[in-house]
Amino acid sequence: MKILVPVKRVVDYNVKVRVKSDQTGVDIANVKMSMNPFDEIAIEEAMRLKEAGVATEVIAVSCGVTQCQETLRTAMAIGADRAILVETDVELQPLAVAKLLKALFDKEQPQLMILGKQAIDDDCNQTGQMLAALAGLSQATFASKVVIADGHATVTREVDGGSETLSLTLPAVVTTDLRLNEPRYVTLPNIMKAKKKQLDVYKPADLGVDVAPRVKTLKVSEPPARRAGILVPDVATLVAKLRNEAKVI
């Protein structure tokens, strides 16, 4: 079984992002970049399926600028067998990424596509669902457990009321939640091995996909600063402030 795992290059989650002075977007110049944490979970799950003998090949995919090759090398250091970069300088939106992944699905014919449920930069939580719709595949989002057997994927997923279990006919799309697994640490020997693994580069035109943005960002601004808290001497004062000033009771 072949598994395709898309990974995104994002600003590292430890970095405090800043808005550009012209409010056109977030400033990523000279900022540490890394793999989207939910995509790390997706790669880890694909590797566990391979180590269990369920999968035979894991392919990492990224869409974006040339520097995304670093993210793909990280994925291969975790264990992916090879990688594909769809290289473009255009700012990709979820629909464009879903179309590129659909084209790669048609080209590679994987039995399973595992994606992070969302990226921590835009928090769109759309690409997996759009991909499943475009490719006509069954899908399970927010997965906390994945079991593959007899041509089916049994997925336990997180919902508002707790969890539910779905049975999907392969090929299928699964998006990962935080509780699915704990990604492994990348070792130096595996980082060195990853440098020798196959990495193919395509352009969107090679896949016949138009990635022109459909949505325009008008302005990006920082949230207003929170006001400092105050200490109150007793419960009566607290209740009075909640009733008269905050007007929440």
Side-chain angles (χ1 to χ4, degrees):
M1 184 176 81
K2 185 187 295 185
I3 301 178
L4 203 67
V5 184
V7 295
K8 186 176 184 180
R9 178 178 181 263
V10 299
V11 176
D12 189 88
Y13 67 91
N14 288 311
V15 174
K16 178 176 172 54
V17 295
R18 287 179 167 76
V19 175
K20 292 179 180 178
S21 58
D22 59 3
Q23 294 188 313
T24 58
V26 172
D27 187 4
I28 60 172
N30 301 314
V31 170
K32 181 183 177 183
M33 309 292 284
S34 61
M35 186 188 301
N36 179 47
F38 289 104
D39 298 340
E40 284 189 74
I41 294 171
I43 279 283
E44 174 65 26
E45 190 64 21
M47 292 314 306
R48 293 188 184 191
L49 290 172
K50 183 180 178 184
E51 289 164 357
V54 174
T56 55
E57 185 180 24
V58 175
I59 307 167
V61 177
S62 193
C63 305
V65 295
T66 305
Q67 291 87 340
C68 290
Q69 290 190 27
E70 300 168 9
T71 308
L72 290 171
R73 294 294 178 192
T74 300
M76 289 189 285
I78 294 173
D81 298 287
R82 58 188 175 95
I84 298 172
L85 171 62
V86 182
E87 188 177 24
T88 177
D89 292 328
V90 176
E91 184 178 346
L92 295 174
Q93 295 174 352
L95 180 59
V97 177
K99 289 180 178 179
L100 291 171
L101 295 178
K102 196 271 182 182
L104 290 174
F105 169 80
D106 293 339
K107 182 180 181 66
E108 295 288 342
Q109 291 296 303
Q111 283 69 54
L112 184 63
M113 299 188 73
I114 308 179
L115 301 81
K117 70 171 184 178
Q118 65 194 72
I120 62 171
D121 52 359
D122 55 22
D123 277 336
C124 284
N125 184 10
Q126 295 176 337
T127 305
Q129 294 89 324
M130 288 178 171
L131 170 61
L134 290 171
L137 301 175
S138 52
Q139 63 173 310
T141 54
F142 318 129
S144 58
K145 183 179 180 181
V146 178
V147 178
I148 308 293
D150 302 322
H152 289 76
T154 303
V155 181
T156 301
R157 61 185 297 267
E158 310 241 346
V159 296
D160 289 342
S163 64
E164 69 176 3
T165 301
L166 303 177
S167 179
L168 311 179
T169 302
L170 300 179
V173 173
V174 173
T175 70
T176 64
D177 211 335
L178 284 172
R179 294 173 183 80
L180 181 58
N181 61 52
E182 183 73 28
R184 68 192 68 185
Y185 289 104
V186 180
T187 62
L188 181 58
N190 286 337
I191 292 174
M192 301 307 293
K193 290 177 184 176
K195 294 181 179 180
K196 299 180 180 179
K197 291 185 178 180
Q198 178 182 345
L199 195 161
D200 299 318
V201 179
Y202 298 102
K203 299 289 186 182
D206 298 334
L207 301 173
V209 177
D210 176 17
V211 296
R214 263 61 172 179
V215 178
K216 181 180 179 182
T217 300
L218 300 179
K219 184 175 74 170
V220 177
S221 58
E222 293 192 20
R226 292 182 61 181
R227 296 191 328 191
I230 60 172
L231 293 175
V232 293
D234 51 47
V235 174
T237 306
L238 172 62
V239 172
K241 286 184 175 294
L242 291 175
R243 177 179 291 121
N244 301 323
E245 296 181 18
K247 298 186 184 303
V248 295
I249 59 173

